[in-house]
Amino acid sequence: MNGVRISGLGSAKPENLVSNTDLSKFVDTSDEWITTRTGIKSRYISSGETAVELAVDAAKVAISDANVNPSEIDLIIVATISPDQMMPSTACCVQSIIGAKNATAFDISAACSGFVFASKIAVDAIRIGSAKKALVIGAEILSKSIDWTDRNTCVLFGDGAGAVIYEKSDVNKIINIYTGSDGTLGQVLTLDHTPINNCLVTTDLSTSYLKMDGREVYKFATSVVPLCINKVLEGTDYSLSSIKKFILHQANERILNSVAKKLGIDDKLLFKNLFEYGNTSAASIPIALDDAKSSLCKGDIIILAGFGGGLTWGSILFEW
Ligand code: UT7
């Protein structure tokens, strides 16, 4: 089995930063409510930037950081639940623009866990020798799927993209990846149904938006993230006390703090950038990793963990 390491990171965001106060001008909310219930102070919202554009911008930074030639990349996976279109995939569009002509490219859908799921596919492919250099991107323009009159959801999400290059390595740095799903709980977090509308059936095709039972998702998140963290450590030489930084899905600061409390870890070990970005779904973990990199030291043992629609969850244990 081949070793795998992270060799490059990048991220990109839309130009427009929308503050809580900006939102309170058109929806019945306040900076005080959003800050105390979520920790979010602002989010980047597309004023025209597409998922492909952000994915390409993040990918270019990661490629340059890894010092690889796009033609060396043999796998591109984009995790997204807000692609610009279903076909061609976001990954194929990225492939074309960056000139990664030797890559197999496709998208996956696992909501906010999408980056972890895509990373698992890429890392497994490198381990078994079917790829050498993989570009994994989380890219979302969720703002187009939000009901901007629904204060329960519109204050939470933001747009962005994050990219990671995984490559074959003599020394293995990706220690373990854990993933899981429970489709029976899927209805607590949903987005866009495509009803059957064909030569036999006529259906109302009115737009549908992201819908969420916030309390149920909160309960799920605060139980599944500690589980993800414990599971990814199982069977390895590492324990909670080995971890230098926990870079978790940036959905809600209260969720992050509750995870720290449940695990009995110092909340200073949690990386947080949700104040600025809000919840960027599949882009959240790779953007956070890119933002955190200046505070990481060579050899640090890091855990990434996410949860989201599906329901889905997953974690990555790696050495920086
Ligand atoms: O990537 C995964 C995606 N989702 C998540 O991670 C979300 C997980 N859930 C949460 O983070 C929290 O449940 C929320 C932040 C969504 C909500 O916080 P909460 O403490 O669970 O609030 P709540 O839903 O119980 O609502 C409390 C009150 C309600 O008013 P009443 O019924 O008590 O009068 C809401 O209508 O807060 C009201 N409310 C708001 N008020 C001002 C809900 N949203 C807002 C808002 N501004 N934006």
Side-chain angles (χ1 to χ4, degrees):
M1 292 285 224
N2 294 320
V4 187
R5 70 183 176 101
I6 290 174
S7 61
L9 298 175
S11 62
K13 56 203 180 205
E15 206 178 308
N16 277 295
L17 190 67
V18 176
S19 70
N20 292 344
T21 308
D22 294 335
L23 288 184
S24 69
K25 290 179 187 142
F26 61 85
V27 64
D28 180 16
T29 191
S30 63
D31 176 47
E32 201 263 331
W33 191 96
I34 304 170
T35 306
T36 52
R37 300 285 178 130
T38 73
I40 297 165
K41 298 294 286 180
S42 62
R43 70 286 295 143
Y44 294 92
I45 298 291
S46 169
S47 56
E49 296 95 339
T50 65
V52 168
E53 284 166 3
L54 294 184
V56 165
D57 288 350
K60 284 182 174 167
V61 179
I63 286 168
S64 149
D65 190 35
N67 198 21
V68 298
N69 188 305
S71 63
E72 294 172 72
I73 295 169
D74 40 22
L75 181 60
I76 301 175
I77 310 176
V78 176
T80 183
I81 51 167
S82 53
D84 302 331
Q85 71 276 317
M86 290 309 293
M87 187 171 70
S89 67
T90 313
C92 282
C93 296
V94 171
Q95 176 195 25
S96 154
I97 296 168
I98 66 173
K101 56 182 189 293
N102 296 312
T104 296
F106 58 92
D107 290 0
I108 66 144
S109 163
C112 309
S113 313
F115 173 76
V116 176
F117 281 42
S119 294
K120 181 163 169 48
I121 300 167
V123 168
D124 286 351
I126 297 171
R127 285 222 194 289
I128 62 169
S130 66
K132 287 196 181 74
K133 290 184 181 166
L135 168 61
V136 173
I137 303 170
E140 302 285 14
I141 306 288
L142 263 186
S143 59
K144 67 187 177 192
S145 301
I146 298 296
D147 176 355
W148 287 97
T149 63
D150 175 14
R151 67 179 184 174
N152 292 293
T153 53
C154 75
V155 301
L156 304 175
F157 297 94
D159 301 329
V164 171
I165 303 277
Y166 290 100
E167 61 178 81
K168 187 179 157 197
S169 162
D170 293 337
V171 182
N172 183 48
K173 303 279 188 181
I174 309 295
I175 301 156
N176 198 16
I177 304 185
Y178 165 75
T179 53
S181 315
D182 183 356
T184 66
L185 299 175
Q187 290 311 305
V188 302
L189 186 50
T190 60
L191 169 58
D192 257 358
H193 65 293
T194 310
I196 293 172
N197 187 60
N198 59 21
C199 57
L200 302 179
V201 183
T202 305
T203 319
D204 173 17
L205 289 179
S206 54
T207 316
S208 64
Y209 296 106
L210 183 145
K211 294 193 186 70
M212 182 178 72
D213 181 336
R215 286 184 193 180
E216 284 305 313
V217 177
Y218 189 94
K219 272 197 273 174
F220 159 70
T222 50
S223 61
V224 87
V225 178
L227 173 111
C228 276
I229 291 172
N230 285 319
K231 282 278 187 191
V232 82
L233 288 164
E234 250 175 49
T236 72
D237 296 336
Y238 300 95
S239 64
L240 281 176
S241 61
S242 324
I243 307 305
K244 286 286 182 313
K245 195 73 85 185
F246 294 83
I247 303 175
L248 310 179
H249 173 44
Q250 304 285 305
N252 183 326
E253 190 180 19
R254 282 160 57 215
I255 295 177
L256 299 182
N257 293 342
S258 160
V259 169
K261 202 167 164 204
K262 281 192 176 172
L263 292 172
I265 56 170
D266 186 343
D267 61 11
K268 289 196 187 64
L269 296 176
L270 298 173
F271 180 79
K272 293 176 187 171
N273 67 358
L274 54 77
F275 319 105
E276 180 183 350
Y277 288 87
N279 177 348
T280 57
S281 184
S284 145
I285 294 175
I287 292 175
L289 179 56
D290 189 39
D291 276 11
K293 74 180 173 200
S294 57
S295 66
L296 305 181
C297 300
K298 193 171 185 291
D300 280 356
I301 304 296
I302 313 293
I303 284 183
L304 312 178
F307 64 91
L311 294 176
T312 56
W313 55 88
S315 46
I316 303 178
L317 174 68
F318 72 99
E319 183 183 328
W320 179 243

